[in-house]
Amino acid sequence: MPQFELANWLPQVAWLILTFGVMYLVVRAALPKVEAVKLSRAKVISDDLGHADTAKTNAQSVEAAFQAALVAARTTATKVTGDTKTTAAADAAARLKEIDAALAAKADAAQATLAKSQAKSLKSLEAVATDVTGDMVERLTGRRPAADAAASAVAQASA
Amino acid sequence: MASPLEQFELHKMVTADVMGYDVSFTNSAMFMVVTVVLVGLFLVLGMRNAKLVPGRWQTAVESTHEFVVGMVDENIGPNGRKYVPFIFALFMFVLFANLIGLIPFAFTTTSHLAVTFAFASFIFLLCLVIGFARHGFHFFSLFVPPQTPVVLLPLIVLIEMISFLTRPLTLSVRLFANMTAGHILLKVFAGFIISLGLAGGIWSAVAVLPMAMNIALYALELLVSVVQAYVFALLTCVYLNDSINLSH
């Protein structure tokens, strides 16, 4: 086998040292560029991720603020509604009371008037009844009873 | 018919000697130059006007770099970063030499023990230099695994020393034997195709069989080329790790 002929060794090893030496230098010169490109890419990616992260945090804080404002607005609205409702209810109750009182007074006055006119009418009714009774007795008997007797009879009957 | 070993013969293209030593430029040296030029072109043209979003070629260069860096990080750790150029050069040289050797009529430089043994010896010496430079005489503790029973100590140390000292041999023979065996097989079956084809009659049809075999073998050899380059670089990392980090 040519591999085991020692005469073949030296020329190969000599050229190997030379060629591999050149290759090592080429690689040493070329690799920093590869690394630089990869580093810059990693930097761009991490920067973009950082931007995205910041944007996300911002969006989250904005959303949190929005939610807080929403909650505050809702609370205020509820409070205002409640207050208004309470005020309105108190107002309505007060006015109702006032109106009730006015109506009661009016009713009382009317009642009094009514009672007065009722008594008046009853009194005149009594006079009329006495007259009518006198007339009826006169027609039936031909004799007019005494005014006192008719009035007492009417009073007795209406009692 | 030519011997299957003919493909491994060296032909002097330019005869040269330095102080009586033969350093002729042979076909082997020529393919070393081809390997270096191709790797150089791969790197330089691939990274020419490198972009943030890489093209195919740039991706190929970056992937190989990523691969080697990953291998170094995994096997050596952060201390191994400065050996990345060496491992990268080694991996690419062996990979390209193996693959170029599969082109018909090309010479496979890595099928020569001289080449693989030169690599392995250099790696062995590098490991020794780094080991003694970093750890001094404490580097000898490499031969004493932790928690070894004292009774077994002489035997274990002997075994560890033998396994350490045979590293250049195993490393070089693995690559050389794989490449040589593959190329011999390819040549033998190629020889069958020719002789059966020339035999005429029914034998010409039978020549299809070694042809099919050669196609399958070629695919296998492509795999072997890549795997052996990987194994060579990986073992170099493992050996360097022993010297750099001195695990025990």
Side-chain angles (χ1 to χ4, degrees), chain A residues 52-68:
Chain A
D53 213 39
T54 316
K56 197 186 164 196
T57 316
N58 279 347
Q60 272 169 350
S61 68
V62 166
E63 212 222 318
F66 168 72
Q67 290 293 353

Side-chain angles (χ1 to χ4, degrees), chain A residues 7 10-15, chain B residues 12 14-26 29:
Chain A
L10 189 56
Q12 288 201 93
V13 172
W15 282 96
Chain B
K12 286 181 186 174
V14 180
T15 311
D17 71 87
V18 175
M19 293 180 293
Y21 294 109
D22 179 22
V23 290
S24 303
F25 188 79
T26 58

Side-chain angles (χ1 to χ4, degrees), chain B residues 99-182:
Chain B
L99 290 176
I100 289 166
L102 282 176
I103 299 168
F105 305 111
F107 184 88
T108 320
T109 47
T110 42
S111 69
H112 266 261
L113 190 58
V115 172
T116 61
F117 191 72
F119 269 135
S121 312
F122 179 72
I123 292 161
F124 184 71
L125 288 176
L126 191 68
C127 285
L128 284 180
V129 169
I130 293 170
F132 281 115
R134 288 182 78 103
H135 307 289
F137 282 103
H138 191 62
F139 185 51
F140 284 116
S141 69
L142 184 66
F143 302 132
V144 188
Q147 292 150 1
T148 310
V150 183
V151 188
L152 289 176
L153 211 56
L155 189 64
I156 295 289
V157 168
L158 187 69
I159 291 170
E160 289 281 331
M161 279 179 89
I162 290 171
S163 94
F164 183 78
L165 293 173
T166 51
R167 274 175 182 183
L169 203 65
T170 52
L171 188 60
S172 58
V173 168
R174 182 179 301 110
L175 180 58
F176 143 75
N178 266 287
M179 298 321 291
T180 302

